[in-house]
Amino acid sequence: MSKRDILLRKPAPAYGRLREGAWERAEAFAEEYKAFLDAGKTERNCVREAVLQAEKRGYARLAPGTAQTHFYAERHGKALILVRTGTKPAAAGLRIVAAHIDSPRIDLKPYPLYEKDGFALFKTHYYGGIKKYHWLTAPLELRGVVYLRDGTAVSIAPAENEPVLFISDVLPHLGKEQEKKAVSEAFPGESLNVTVGTVPDREEAGGPAPGDERIKLAVLSLLNRRYGMTEHDFQSAELCLVPAGRARDAGLDASMIAAYGQDDRSCAYAAMRALFDAPEPEYTGVCILADKEEIGSEGVTGMQSAFFDTVLEGVCLSQGGTLRECYQNSFCFSGDVTNAFDPNFPDVSDPQNNARLGYGPCVMKATGRGGKSGSSDASAETMSRTRRLLDGADVCWQMGELGKVDAGGGGTVAKYLAMRNIEVVDVGVPVLNMHAPTEVTAKIDCFETYRAFAALYNDR
Ligand code: MN
Ligand code: MN
């Protein structure tokens, strides 16, 4: 070997070093992943789909006091923890992948429905960090749950060929004033109102008169027929608008996937599948699918919630160990996406230290903003362990930071695991168009991320 071969790092795309049959496996994995995205357009839908898939593989709902090797627990149908016991006791440490299943979206306000200028509309309150103009004119669909007065839950999801909803935008012909404004000011949150109807209720006697809200009444009649709800029931509802349509291949070479919600369902799916597929793990494997990451991991379903500790404490106690000692011996990949270098916008990235599409999962030593603020910043010891684990499993991986130092920033759930004294580092799929209605990943990166998570679960 030459000096050059020994001393220099040679970044190479994953395609260049595929093992026999790997591309075919990556493509098959991509098909299953796209089906998961279509079934999991909201965190509730993700939990339901993950539970279905887990039960098919012999996982059962956690039943304290019984001996279980494959089980799960959920919180409000929005956060899920899957556990598979290893041959070692839990006190020897867990192998955890924690990903999130909430994605930026448009939530409805508590009293959303109103009528104006011949339209019925929903008032909204966006969720997570979005560039609001991405969501104008995009076809949207309504999803969520409504609890009726008597406490009956009604789940709301589009039917086959359901009409789409949309937020209108100014036509370019009349956009002169709008174009002069800064993007941050041109699209106020209060203007993101969703058009839902135009036809007045026909059952009321007499013709429609201005101000009689008969279009709003018609929309409520429709919701009442379909879901049994009244306007009061918005009080106990969680409804949101997400992009309509299915996940699809992207690129003339079909090497990529274009779909809503890949932050962070690409990592969530990879984690879940890696746990399912791990043969006879030595350490207890845990897959956490958390909610609320996009708004700071808050709430009983977010990564800061003691829900996860409550479940894991039960596992430890049943095996005669303590949760704290178990955490201290655990190792975790915080599975979250990062930005892929974008040739259209190279100026926001340091090309040498930014994840590249097609180069495998990106390991992020630090996230946060400015001077690494809000990051758990993994130690060299954790990086060394990660490196040996991934190289040992022949995973094609890369390192990177989220864009240029002072360009902005972002966080993940990693710091909430570190807070629990769990050794953790971020490992995730590079994404283009992050937080837009259509996010893009490379199929090979999704597959190599699955292999990275499998390496953790198969740790010996
Ligand atoms: Mn994320
Ligand atoms: Mn995000």
Side-chain angles (χ1 to χ4, degrees):
M1 284 222 284
S2 75
K3 183 160 137 186
R4 203 159 261 284
D5 289 334
I6 295 164
L7 297 182
L8 289 176
R9 192 176 61 89
K10 290 176 210 66
Y15 308 104
R17 38 172 293 192
L18 287 180
R19 297 150 307 281
E20 180 73 21
W23 178 245
E24 290 69 25
R25 282 184 65 206
E27 285 202 301
F29 183 82
E31 290 308 309
E32 290 156 351
Y33 167 49
K34 284 188 291 177
F36 178 77
L37 288 173
D38 290 341
K41 296 274 266 297
T42 66
E43 64 278 1
R44 286 177 191 277
N45 295 162
C46 274
V47 167
R48 198 186 48 194
E49 178 63 19
V51 165
L52 277 176
Q53 295 204 17
E55 287 182 341
K56 261 187 224 157
R57 290 161 167 97
Y59 286 72
R61 190 173 291 274
L62 172 65
T66 61
Q68 290 176 293
T69 54
H70 299 63
F71 58 92
Y72 67 86
E74 50 149 308
R75 188 76 169 125
H76 285 173
K78 302 176 69 172
L80 183 71
I81 179 166
L82 295 151
V83 180
R84 175 159 179 204
T85 58
T87 49
K88 292 183 175 181
L94 311 170
R95 294 296 175 267
I96 308 169
V97 183
H100 67 93
I101 48 174
D102 62 316
S103 295
R105 58 176 192 250
I106 310 282
D107 282 345
L108 296 197
K109 283 195 180 190
Y111 293 121
L113 189 59
Y114 70 106
E115 177 175 329
K116 191 164 187 284
D117 302 329
F119 294 96
L121 302 106
F122 281 146
K123 287 174 177 284
T124 69
H125 192 151
Y126 61 93
Y127 172 98
I130 59 167
K131 289 167 94 172
K132 290 171 218 148
Y133 65 86
H134 283 163
W135 297 74
L136 272 45
T137 75
L140 302 172
E141 62 189 29
L142 186 66
R143 287 183 176 269
V145 66
V146 177
Y147 280 83
L148 306 181
R149 191 187 294 273
D150 64 358
T152 310
V154 182
S155 93
I156 298 205
E160 199 67 37
N161 296 320
E162 177 88 11
V164 298
L165 306 176
F166 65 93
I167 300 169
S168 60
D169 192 10
V170 173
L171 59 166
H173 317 62
L174 301 176
K176 274 219 156 94
E177 284 307 309
Q178 186 188 47
E179 281 170 17
K180 278 190 220 154
K181 292 182 190 162
V183 177
S184 59
E185 281 148 25
F187 311 99
E190 291 293 342
S191 71
L192 301 186
N193 303 311
V194 181
T195 306
V196 294
T198 59
V199 180
D201 190 86
R202 274 176 279 221
E203 285 165 28
E204 269 203 334
D212 66 1
E213 297 199 308
R214 280 178 65 174
I215 305 174
K216 172 176 169 176
L217 183 65
V219 169
L220 276 171
S221 313
L222 188 148
L223 291 174
N224 184 263
R225 276 198 305 277
R226 267 180 85 165
Y227 306 114
M229 67 180 288
T230 69
E231 194 174 12
H232 301 282
D233 297 320
F234 283 116
Q235 291 169 342
S236 45
E238 255 184 339
L239 295 170
C240 67
L241 294 142
V242 296
R246 305 168 83 89
R248 55 214 314 199
D249 286 352
L252 292 175
D253 58 5
S255 60
M256 297 169 283
I257 295 169
Y260 167 68
Q262 299 199 72
D263 173 8
D264 184 32
R265 293 168 193 147
S266 55
C267 295
Y269 184 69
M272 181 179 88
R273 278 290 307 274
L275 184 71
F276 290 159
D277 297 349
E280 291 285 306
E282 216 164 90
Y283 295 94
T284 294
V286 176
C287 171
I288 291 175
L289 303 184
D291 181 27
K292 299 268 186 274
E293 192 277 340
E294 297 294 357
I295 58 167
S297 298
E298 316 283 351
V300 290
T301 52
M303 196 62 242
Q304 297 193 64
S305 167
F307 158 64
F308 303 103
D309 309 289
T310 306
V311 172
L312 293 174
E313 184 167 46
V315 178
C316 294
L317 291 177
S318 73
Q319 300 181 5
T322 68
L323 182 66
R324 283 178 181 247
E325 113 189 273
C326 161
Y327 277 174
Q328 178 147 307
N329 293 329
S330 294
F331 193 48
C332 175
F333 283 167
S334 159
D336 205 347
V337 301
T338 186
N339 74 310
F341 183 86
D342 185 343
N344 278 336
F345 300 96
D347 294 346
V348 300
S349 295
D350 163 14
Q352 181 165 321
N353 284 287
N354 202 103
R356 300 216 168 236
L357 203 83
Y359 283 62
C362 180
V363 177
M364 310 256 285
K365 181 181 185 297
T367 60
R369 47 180 69 233
K372 304 193 179 181
S373 174
S375 166
S376 51
D377 196 14
S379 66
E381 288 74 10
T382 303
M383 294 308 301
S384 166
R385 191 171 177 178
T386 303
R387 185 181 166 193
R388 281 177 286 130
L389 194 64
L390 298 183
D391 285 346
D394 194 28
V395 174
C396 182
W397 61 282
Q398 56 183 328
M399 276 187 77
E401 293 197 335
L402 185 86
K404 275 185 181 165
V405 174
D406 287 329
T412 68
V413 299
K415 64 175 177 177
Y416 302 111
L417 290 135
M419 230 169 59
R420 292 165 159 109
N421 193 24
I422 296 171
E423 194 174 359
V424 60
V425 64
D426 281 295
V427 180
V429 176
V431 174
L432 282 173
N433 312 345
M434 198 193 293
H435 285 201
T438 302
E439 299 177 318
V440 171
T441 58
K443 290 178 179 175
I444 195 70
D445 293 338
C446 295
F447 183 63
E448 288 295 310
T449 302
Y450 157 76
R451 294 186 63 245
F453 296 164
L456 180 69
Y457 288 132
N458 294 325
D459 190 15
R460 304 272 152 192

